[in-house]
Amino acid sequence: MTNVRSNWGPTLAPLMVVAGLVVLVVSAARSSSIPARPTMPAAVTSDISSIVAQVDQLFADQWREAKIEPALPADELALFRRLSLVLHGTAPSLEEIRRFETDYGSDRIARWTAEMLADRRFANYFTRRFSRFLVGAEEGQVLVFRRDRFWAWMSDQLHANRPYDEIVRAMISERGLWTDKPEVNFVAAVVNEGVVDHNKLAGRTARAFLGQRIDCAECHNHPFANWKQSQFEGLAACYGELNISPVGVEDNQVDKTVAPYRLQDRVTLNDRDVVPAVPYHEEWMPSEGTTRARLAAWVTHPANRRFDRAIVNRVWGLMFGKPWIQPVDDLPDPGDEHPVPTDLLDVLGADFRVHGCDLKRLITVIAASRPFRLSSQHPSFETGENVELIEHVWGAFPISRLRPEQVIGAMLQASSIKTLDHNSHWTMRAIRFFKELDFVKEYGDLGDEELTERAGTIPQALLRMNSEFAAEWSKSTIFSAAGRIAGMAPNDESCLDNCFLICLTRHPTAEERATLIPQLEGTKGDDRAYVVEDLFWTLFNSPEFCWGH
């Protein structure tokens, strides 16, 4: 690939590296020609102050015991970018930033969290994140699996804020055609050549909904945990009546009589029947209904703490870039006792259950908690002291690499002054869709294990720097953000401010101003456009752009 930038872009790059992940915001009010919307949604649907205080106290106790001071609160513009990346998969637009800066109401972060959750972009983006652990990243058998229909269905459920336990029960137990009943794609995703992989389905059910790797007992008793091979076989047998036919997903059950689930014994090589069973608390499993419906009721049973803990840990991971407990699908056994919850997953899980398995409430609570609102910078990071301890006790917001779709989503949004959402022209939405697919394909997908720690690669950095993506979306035209900023900014200061806001959601530091304003001084027309293009390209390739912080 050939570097298409001009000769001063690389000179600025070291300055951006020095700037790194420092996110400082000039607090002076900025004028804007974009009018603020007249109304904002209520911050939350019900009071969350009690549960937020409980969560904050858990961390306050943890920090005190570790004898560390947490980082200072993050600047609100940094929080705004953080929320946009987490909930919408992209940086905020300049249009949104200007509205945010002119919102002087109390606790605007809470109100903007509510607006972001109500925006269709939240449902669409979280659907993509959820789909990875629900139906995997594989293509599947196209004749019996429709990922696009599953995405559309899941997005509708999240947008309507349907209770999560209802969503899960539908996925496990529903019958019908994968196009008419998109929820059945959860089970259709494991069909290969017309054969249902019951073992894979049982393993995915335990990992996705219970946060535990029972599939390690598929061939033998688990060497470290308490899972037995017989327990895994019983769980797989719960899907034994599942059948794929021309009319869709069915259950082979006639007059409540189910054909036995039969498998080959690995030792004797003889066939043997396995009775459908659950690995613990059989009393939670109803006696009526299809086996899949009974399994769905057991998985989502109000007393099944594993269900609540699993989704809390996963949503925490999506919000922070890393789960509370890693690996996200291998949580420790919570035990059968029911003490007053003191563990974070139990505290948030109990609130999640009491409030009807409300995903948006769970996200709102986490976004309002003190750990989520901390800066990613800590004084100890400069000296290298206690870094591991601070990270261990969540004394600063964790820094994590953006996902491929977040990187290209932020680039595409930075190419436009106005917000790119479902109200945008269909041509722009189509361009964004296909550009994201192309970029993710070249950048490298993360597969199912998206919450594992992964380092960036040199090819990924080169793709951002030298590919057509960075060049195309930083190009100055009459329609692009770079072109409009270059041609319409009233002065050099405003031009520089707008470039930083649209790319990094912050104002430039004094050092950055001193370096960059001379580059803009006295430029007009094409010369000014080239400077702005190079500035966009440099900001796209700064460490700050491609990391969540």
Side-chain angles (χ1 to χ4, degrees), residues 115 208 213 251 256 258 337 360 391:
E115 178 173 306
R213 296 182 178 179
D251 293 293
K256 299 184 180 181
V258 183
E337 69 279 0
K360 288 187 178 181
E391 292 177 346

Side-chain angles (χ1 to χ4, degrees), residues 55-76:
V55 170
D56 288 351
Q57 188 60 51
L58 284 176
F59 283 93
D61 294 342
Q62 185 170 270
W63 296 328
R64 183 176 60 254
E65 183 177 344
K67 297 180 180 179
I68 67 107
E69 287 292 327
L72 295 174
D75 183 272
E76 288 201 339

